[in-house]
Amino acid sequence: MRDASTPDPRDTLDAVGELAALARIIPRLPESAATLLGPGDDAAVLAAADGRYVVTTDMMIHGPDFRTAWSTMHDLGWKAAATNLSDVAAMGARPTALVVALAAPGSTPVPELEAFADGMRDACAALAPGCGVVGGDLSVSSVLTIAVTAFGDLEGRAPVTRSGAGEGDVIAVSGPLGLAAEGLALLFERGVDATGAPDATAAARLRAEHPEPLSAQLAPRPPIADGTLAARAGATAMLDLSDGLALDARRVARASGVGLDLDGALLAAAGPHALTGGEDHSLMATFPAAVAEQGLPGGFVAIGRVVAAPVDAEGRAVPAVLVDGRAVDERGGWDPFAEWSGQAG
Amino acid sequence: MRDASTPDPRDTLDAVGELAALARIIPRLPESAATLLGPGDDAAVLAAADGRYVVTTDMMIHGPDFRTAWSTMHDLGWKAAATNLSDVAAMGARPTALVVALAAPGSTPVPELEAFADGMRDACAALAPGCGVVGGDLSVSSVLTIAVTAFGDLEGRAPVTRSGAGEGDVIAVSGPLGLAAEGLALLFERGVDATGAPDATAAARLRAEHPEPLSAQLAPRPPIADGTLAARAGATAMLDLSDGLALDARRVARASGVGLDLDGALLAAAGPHALTGGEDHSLMATFPAAVAEQGLPGGFVAIGRVVAAPVDAEGRAVPAVLVDGRAVDERGGWDPFAEWSGQAG
């Protein structure tokens, strides 16, 4: 009997070939309710009911973006879908469809590619029902690489950009702050073997012990539906927290020409990574005070207030992020160019 | 004085960082006339005037898909745009926009990334004016990887799929047949050094001597505008010839349940790679005979006739490609999984 953990050398991408592998993967992918013409031709055709569509693209690379000892292929399919859905939701749009280009080593077992497809399907079903995969590309590469482009429907509304935050608005977040970074810190600390290399057994044990931070890092559940709820409620600005609250809030501050004053006690309660931890894919939005008084939509919780941009010594307004009224300069987040060690694992 | 061919070690992706590199690349990219909200937020918003949009995605990987000794970064930007525009055109749509995800080694000189952007800009200007880049992602990877997703506007028309070819239709092609494969054969034969490794100097000399096949391979010029001309003229089926005429024509034969009978004398005149050479990105379409009698649109030239599917020994119809009435089984094309040697260069 074959050990379940030993891949069958006759069932790899190289051995099976691109077309046969695709024939096994495609049926597992979720269908999109927006499909007018599905996969199988030179291109797909999608409906854009209000004459517009939202588009975002993102790539995940083995090494700087994930370790295969820590992430299962199901995790990677899930995360590739979830992070792109989150960018669509951050515009106030409902995600409708994805296309995915996957490049994998020829030695990759086809069941691993099936698990990747299952991860995309499960993420769409859980986070954005009706959203599905309408096209893709399968290639061979020595570096596992995933490129997803996601689409959304604004349903007649204006997009919620980063530039609309106004003085007096309430700043709110839906989803965790710093939980994904807590998971990553645990993995780097304890998801490794004696030599410090990423280790699948250690990671699996860690995940059982600390399911919340580990899942936040490896298979995040962004509050996709809260994107449209925020837009309907009148959010003035919104974005996906991918690079950490400090860095992402500064983007809103600069685009809107304001200060974003965060509540230090709430950040402290959220834990040590709340201000600088990346990859939460929570939504940060600003709402008029009158909206907040009526009750914030979905899972949004107030974390601060939009104020006038602080003024520097020469009297110039300098949009910035503040905590309890004092400007912060913590960068946070994750810059693979600056920080990637060159290791994979 | 610095030799122009020596990259400045202070001007690489690693040294400059992602944000500064993007600030230099983004202004070089072409703008899209369909843009309602451009790059810089979580996602872009595009117009879909007739309530639909066409989507296709494709990835190019260093090694199986290109050699950097043969292709300049300008070539790669051009080809990544051109091949995706061609898939949009093959639906009978007008290309409107692209998103591009690029992953490059940290040692890549930023001027090389600028040349890549210039290649995309020049391809859009030459092949699909008004089409531009509305979003992207820049990552670091040890393997240069390019993923493009392209969008198009059907302008109220039905998409031209692969399944509409009918008996009696004229088969026509716009663009070369086998020219890109001729270029690739020349490169493998003479674009190499004494050890057989891809060589930039040899490739540049070869390109000066044989500009047509080399450009067809390295920077193809698909007849993008002929896609909409074919649709307006009433094309019954159409596709982009990326895997070679024999293989791609079989796709139309199978989708339409017919035989595609090609003219052997015309194929012979087109050269040895006409039937099996991949990567031409010419358009193949079928037109009702009455349309052909009035004159085929754009650059389309008749190469055969749609016939009833041949019948096998048991009397079953077997959709197939024929040459002068005889079924052919040449596969042709390029399957990186089966054929990639694992080399880059």
Side-chain angles (χ1 to χ4, degrees):
Chain A
M1 225 181 93
R2 174 174 294 279
D3 180 330
S5 66
T6 308
D8 181 345
R10 296 159 306 182
D11 201 21
T12 64
L13 204 42
D14 265 347
V16 164
E18 177 185 359
L19 293 182
L22 281 174
R24 285 165 59 182
I25 297 164
I26 290 172
R28 309 178 86 97
L29 291 168
E31 286 181 25
S32 162
T35 303
L36 299 176
L37 179 71
D41 218 295
D42 292 280
V45 183
L46 296 180
D50 73 355
R52 302 169 302 162
Y53 55 107
V54 167
V55 178
T56 180
T57 194
D58 197 35
M59 208 178 223
M60 287 167 47
I61 315 274
H62 183 198
D65 294 319
F66 59 84
R67 308 295 166 101
T68 50
W70 292 342
S71 294
T72 66
M73 286 294 275
H74 188 281
D75 289 336
L76 292 176
W78 177 291
K79 187 166 179 173
T83 56
N84 278 281
L85 296 174
S86 184
D87 280 322
V88 170
M91 303 306 290
R94 182 176 55 79
T96 50
L98 307 167
V99 295
V100 55
L102 179 75
S107 59
T108 305
V110 178
E112 293 285 290
L113 301 178
E114 293 175 323
F116 178 87
D118 292 349
M120 293 198 85
R121 182 194 64 210
D122 293 345
C124 285
L127 305 174
C131 181
V133 176
V134 298
D137 189 22
L138 180 60
S139 304
V140 69
S141 173
S142 55
V143 177
L144 179 60
T145 304
I146 302 153
V148 170
T149 302
F151 310 104
D153 180 357
L154 286 163
E155 302 175 324
R157 295 180 299 271
V160 183
T161 67
R162 299 173 178 183
S163 61
E167 229 180 296
D169 286 354
V170 168
I171 308 163
V173 166
S174 176
L177 285 177
L179 197 60
E182 185 187 331
L184 190 62
L186 281 167
L187 283 165
F188 271 113
E189 193 185 315
R190 293 172 50 201
V192 291
D193 64 18
T195 71
D199 182 79
T201 308
R205 194 185 314 125
L206 200 60
R207 197 163 185 171
E209 284 172 27
H210 303 278
E212 289 203 6
L214 271 286
S215 290
Q217 168 58 225
L218 300 173
R221 301 182 70 93
I224 303 300
D226 280 2
T228 52
L229 291 181
R232 284 190 198 127
T236 51
M238 182 154 54
L239 91 175
D240 160 56
L241 292 177
S242 54
D243 293 327
L245 180 59
L247 185 59
D248 286 324
R250 182 167 305 126
R251 292 180 168 134
V252 171
R254 288 187 177 163
S256 300
V258 296
L260 262 60
D261 192 13
L262 307 174
D263 183 317
L266 290 177
L267 295 181
H273 303 284
L275 196 55
T276 57
E279 295 191 276
D280 279 321
H281 301 287
S282 298
L283 290 173
M284 188 191 88
T286 55
F287 295 93
V291 169
E293 278 159 28
Q294 301 293 316
L296 290 167
F300 281 97
V301 174
I303 61 159
R305 182 72 74 157
V306 180
V307 297
V311 172
D312 71 8
E314 278 102 55
R316 288 177 302 220
V318 182
V321 176
L322 308 96
V323 174
D324 298 336
R326 295 175 61 163
V328 293
D329 196 33
E330 292 189 72
R331 190 191 167 285
W334 164 248
D335 180 347
F337 293 92
E339 299 171 36
W340 182 41
S341 63
Q343 311 251 285
Chain B
M1 226 182 94
R2 174 173 294 279
D3 181 331
S5 67
T6 308
D8 181 346
R10 297 159 305 183
D11 200 22
T12 65
L13 205 42
D14 265 348
V16 164
E18 177 185 359
L19 293 181
L22 281 174
R24 285 165 58 182
I25 297 164
I26 289 171
R28 309 178 84 98
L29 292 168
E31 287 181 25
S32 162
T35 304
L36 299 176
L37 180 71
D41 218 295
D42 293 279
V45 183
L46 297 180
D50 74 354
R52 302 169 301 164
Y53 55 107
V54 166
V55 179
T56 181
T57 194
D58 197 36
M59 210 179 222
M60 286 167 45
I61 315 276
H62 183 198
D65 294 319
F66 60 84
R67 308 296 166 101
T68 50
W70 292 342
S71 295
T72 65
M73 286 295 274
H74 188 283
D75 288 336
L76 292 176
W78 178 292
K79 188 166 179 173
T83 56
N84 278 281
L85 296 175
S86 184
D87 279 322
V88 170
M91 304 306 290
R94 183 176 55 79
T96 49
L98 307 167
V99 295
V100 55
L102 178 75
S107 59
T108 305
V110 178
E112 293 285 291
L113 301 178
E114 293 175 323
F116 178 86
D118 291 348
M120 294 198 84
R121 181 195 64 210
D122 293 344
C124 286
L127 305 174
C131 181
V133 176
V134 298
D137 189 23
L138 180 60
S139 304
V140 69
S141 174
S142 56
V143 177
L144 179 60
T145 303
I146 302 153
V148 170
T149 302
F151 309 105
D153 180 358
L154 287 163
E155 302 175 323
R157 294 180 300 271
V160 183
T161 67
R162 300 173 178 183
S163 60
E167 230 180 297
D169 285 355
V170 167
I171 307 163
V173 166
S174 175
L177 285 177
L179 196 60
E182 186 188 330
L184 190 61
L186 281 167
L187 283 164
F188 271 113
E189 194 186 313
R190 294 173 49 201
V192 292
D193 64 16
T195 71
D199 182 78
T201 308
R205 195 186 313 127
L206 199 60
R207 197 164 184 171
E209 284 172 28
H210 303 278
E212 289 204 3
L214 271 286
S215 290
Q217 169 57 226
L218 300 173
R221 301 181 70 92
I224 303 301
D226 280 2
T228 53
L229 291 181
R232 283 188 199 128
T236 51
M238 183 154 55
L239 92 175
D240 161 54
L241 292 177
S242 54
D243 293 327
L245 180 59
L247 185 59
D248 286 325
R250 181 168 304 125
R251 291 179 169 137
V252 171
R254 289 188 176 161
S256 299
V258 295
L260 261 59
D261 192 13
L262 306 174
D263 182 317
L266 290 177
L267 295 180
H273 303 286
L275 197 55
T276 57
E279 296 192 276
D280 280 319
H281 300 288
S282 298
L283 291 173
M284 189 190 87
T286 56
F287 295 92
V291 169
E293 277 158 27
Q294 301 292 316
L296 291 167
F300 281 97
V301 174
I303 60 159
R305 182 73 75 158
V306 180
V307 297
V311 172
D312 71 7
E314 278 103 53
R316 288 177 301 220
V318 182
V321 175
L322 309 95
V323 174
D324 297 335
R326 295 174 61 164
V328 294
D329 197 32
E330 292 189 71
R331 191 191 166 284
W334 164 247
D335 180 349
F337 294 93
E339 298 169 37
W340 182 41
S341 63
Q343 311 253 281

